[in-house]
Amino acid sequence: MLAKLQTFSMLGIDAIPVEVEVDISVSAIPKTLLVGLPEAAVRESTHRVERALVNSGFQRPQDRVVINLAPAELPKQAASFDLPITLGVLAASGQMDFPQLPHYAVVGELALDGSTRPIRGALSMAIAAAEDPDLRGLIVPAANAAEAAVVENLDVIPVSSLAESAAFLAETLDILPAPCRVQEVFGQHAHYEEDFSDVRGQELAKRALTVAAAGGHNLLMVGPPGSGKSMLAKRIPSILPELAAQESVETTRIYSVMGLLPAGESLLARRPFRSPHHTVSDAGLVGGGSTPSPGEISLAHHGVLFLDELPEFQRRTLEVLRQPLEDGSVTISRALATTKFPAQFMLIAALNPCPCGYRTDFRRECHCSPTQIERYMSKISGPLLDRIDIHIEVPTVAYDDLAQGQAGTSSQEMRKQVTGARERQAARFQRSKARQNAQMSHRQIRAHCELDIEGQNLLRNVMEQWGLSARAHDKILRIARTIADLSGAENILPVHLNEAINYRMLDRKLWR
């Protein structure tokens, strides 16, 4: 007897429909064959399926069982095929009749006692199921129900065991679809513990961070150890606008596939902050592997990627950032498949001005030779530096700033400015793919960043004296546009352009 049912397999962060076919025929010797390019975790499922059947009160077939996972050319991995295979065996062996089977896709891992275990990628699978007009719903482990229930127009059926799944499909047990609790999740988790009011002094650095957050610009901080670079970077998500529903779904899909979704959160309510160690590999940073998986830049999607001690990273590792910084995505090509991962992140980098770290500290003496400093700084290439919009110096904090009882500028005040600037950008780019000033194309720069005569002369002089590239020219105009948005100005004024130029001065000072 032949049974068919629908399930899904993950390829990158996308769920691919898979049809499970189970055929049971009479044979003198019991044997189970699993075909369709199963990986190790899927091949081992036959043993879990057999024991889950017996321990749930069903009979193990004593005949020849052939299980096919179609399409055959797609590699199948993960243990999410346990539950659909087991239900297929029950249907093919005639132990149970499932009238609901054509209307539901099934995913889930099984324990040996027949209970379900959570899987990765439930949100992507639910999205794919909702796009199939022939499916009414998706049967998932109870632990994944809240995550999958985020998707609209889909009945997500939570099950805690094989017996529950079989009873629901046989119409002997009613299970209500899991409710969507998006607003509840955002209400509980959409707050940040870190606040910029904790940072004393560094008001100029806070201003630069406000500009960067308002326009989605990348930023580089240079300063001696202990000046507060890491402290500033960790608080940047607290001034970014709240995650929109679509942004949250896009980011949650990545975390779900990687198994990094925090417990109790069906959706990410806070913007991600990723800070990989400088020993990270190329694949760890941008993604990769024989079966491509997302890297740190994709985990920072719609959030912040913080690279501390930038010159300590391998130069080759840093160079792979160049294309994702421009495109907002990364494409991983392998022999069997090509996968594209989103990587729309805000890059924040920090470094010391020299190997000892005290070159710009007036209280300490620097013992680094010019050759050592040049070798240290040369680890950061010019093309990568060109892609970082804002460069600022973070000086040592004075004692008076640390001792004063008055709190500094708070995240709430900074976020209010950022939100106002983002609203102006949303109105400007409502018919464009760009959403922030940092994403403006060359044509949009010409349309929205017009300068008066004084501004043109100022920018011409800077370009000629500093030898800036065309990319740096566009970066200055994008930053000036953001500064104008923060001030509520319709046009870019010389004062806005001057501030933008000052944010590009530091690389001339340290790298030339």
Side-chain angles (χ1 to χ4, degrees):
M1 185 174 178
L2 176 65
K4 296 182 180 181
L5 65 160
Q6 292 293 321
T7 187
F8 296 96
S9 178
M10 295 305 302
L11 182 62
I13 62 172
D14 297 318
I16 308 300
V18 172
E19 186 176 52
V20 179
E21 300 174 320
V22 181
D23 181 79
I24 299 180
S25 56
V26 178
S27 175
I29 302 176
K31 189 174 183 179
T32 301
L33 297 176
L34 182 60
V35 297
L37 280 185
E39 301 289 345
V42 184
R43 289 196 299 269
E44 293 172 352
S45 67
T46 56
H47 305 293
R48 291 191 295 272
V49 166
E50 289 176 359
R51 299 319 306 163
L53 281 169
V54 174
N55 293 327
S56 298
F58 299 105
Q59 294 182 357
R60 172 190 171 188
Q62 299 299 315
D63 297 310
R64 178 185 176 89
V65 180
V66 178
I67 303 165
N68 180 43
L69 306 177
E73 70 273 6
L74 176 70
K76 319 298 189 307
Q77 55 182 346
S80 60
F81 292 97
D82 289 4
L83 186 56
I85 288 175
T86 309
L87 292 171
V89 169
L90 287 176
S93 62
Q95 297 184 55
M96 294 195 74
D97 182 31
F98 296 141
Q100 294 274 42
L101 199 58
H103 307 299
Y104 289 88
V106 184
V107 294
E109 179 183 349
L110 288 177
L112 297 184
D113 62 355
S115 60
T116 59
R117 287 177 173 163
I119 60 170
R120 296 184 179 186
L123 178 56
S124 294
M125 294 178 183
I127 293 173
E131 294 173 351
D132 190 334
D134 297 329
L135 293 178
R136 183 186 307 160
L138 177 68
I139 298 175
V140 299
N144 295 113
E147 174 189 343
V150 169
V151 181
E152 298 178 346
N153 303 319
L154 182 73
D155 291 341
V156 175
I157 307 300
V159 294
S160 56
S161 67
L162 169 62
E164 274 190 17
S165 309
F168 173 78
L169 292 173
E171 297 183 334
T172 60
L173 175 66
D174 289 331
I175 301 178
L176 294 177
C180 178
R181 303 184 184 277
V182 173
Q183 297 301 325
E184 181 181 332
V185 170
F186 272 80
Q188 293 179 352
H189 302 286
H191 64 277
Y192 298 89
E193 295 182 1
E194 296 84 4
D195 195 285
F196 270 104
S197 60
D198 301 330
V199 181
R200 303 301 170 90
Q202 306 295 10
E203 291 301 316
L204 292 178
K206 289 184 183 180
R207 167 63 179 176
L209 291 173
T210 302
V211 174
H217 302 288
N218 303 317
L219 181 141
L220 173 69
M221 294 183 285
V222 182
S227 58
K229 301 186 294 296
S230 299
M231 192 175 186
L232 289 165
K234 290 178 181 178
R235 283 155 176 77
I236 292 176
S238 68
I239 66 173
L240 293 172
E242 292 185 359
L243 271 175
Q246 184 59 34
E247 291 177 333
S248 180
V249 169
E250 290 176 7
T251 308
T252 302
R253 288 179 64 194
I254 301 170
Y255 277 71
S256 174
V257 167
M258 298 297 289
L260 298 176
L261 199 60
E265 293 188 37
S266 56
L267 274 179
L268 288 178
R270 294 181 296 269
R271 292 191 179 272
F273 178 85
R274 304 295 299 182
S275 180
H277 192 260
H278 61 78
T279 56
V280 66
S281 65
D282 301 1
L285 188 61
V286 301
S290 56
T291 301
S293 60
E296 290 289 341
I297 64 173
S298 295
L299 291 171
H301 186 52
H302 293 311
V304 176
L305 177 68
F306 178 47
L307 302 182
D308 199 6
E309 304 295 344
L310 190 64
E312 300 299 331
F313 285 79
Q314 294 291 330
R315 177 162 179 156
R316 181 171 176 266
T317 301
L318 292 177
E319 291 305 301
V320 298
L321 285 174
R322 287 159 57 174
Q323 178 261 333
L325 282 173
E326 290 288 323
D327 299 343
S329 62
V330 58
T331 302
I332 309 296
S333 298
R334 294 293 182 266
L336 294 178
T338 297
T339 307
K340 186 176 183 179
F341 297 122
Q344 190 67 56
F345 60 93
M346 183 177 169
L347 174 65
I348 305 295
L351 72 154
N352 298 324
C354 64
C356 77
Y358 299 108
R359 180 184 174 193
T360 59
D361 190 346
F362 63 91
R363 303 175 306 177
R364 303 286 294 270
E365 183 180 356
C366 174
H367 298 284
C368 301
S369 67
T371 304
Q372 289 176 313
I373 296 173
E374 183 179 350
R375 186 184 304 116
Y376 182 74
M377 290 299 183
S378 66
K379 294 181 180 180
I380 307 170
S381 69
L384 177 62
L385 195 64
D386 237 11
R387 285 169 169 81
I388 301 178
D389 307 9
I390 298 176
H391 313 131
I392 63 170
E393 186 172 0
V394 183
T396 304
V397 182
Y399 172 78
D400 291 341
D401 291 330
L402 293 172
Q404 67 178 356
Q406 183 178 0
T409 306
S410 68
S411 292
Q412 183 178 359
E413 296 172 296
M414 297 169 68
R415 176 185 272 191
K416 186 177 180 181
Q417 299 179 55
V418 170
T419 303
R422 288 286 183 101
E423 289 173 354
R424 295 183 185 92
Q425 294 169 56
R428 180 182 302 130
F429 302 127
Q430 56 183 336
R431 296 183 179 180
S432 168
K433 291 183 179 180
R435 287 293 176 265
Q436 303 161 10
N437 288 333
Q439 301 170 355
M440 280 194 292
S441 65
H442 300 294
R443 181 179 300 176
Q444 290 170 327
I445 290 174
R446 290 193 295 270
H448 303 300
C449 301
E450 292 185 4
L451 302 177
D452 56 19
I453 298 300
E454 184 181 351
Q456 292 178 16
N457 291 334
L458 175 60
L459 187 54
R460 181 186 297 109
N461 291 335
V462 169
M463 290 284 294
E464 292 175 354
Q465 292 177 13
W466 291 357
L468 295 179
S469 66
R471 181 183 286 114
H473 168 273
D474 289 352
K475 297 280 188 190
I476 290 175
L477 290 177
R478 291 187 182 107
I479 297 168
R481 180 66 266 173
T482 300
I483 296 170
D485 288 340
L486 284 168
S487 64
E490 187 67 27
N491 299 314
I492 298 175
L493 302 178
V495 64
H496 305 142
L497 188 61
N498 259 315
E499 184 179 352
I501 291 171
N502 285 331
Y503 291 140
R504 298 292 302 186
M505 288 181 65
L506 195 60
D507 59 326
R508 311 304 113 178
K509 176 181 175 183
L510 293 176
W511 277 268
R512 292 196 175 188

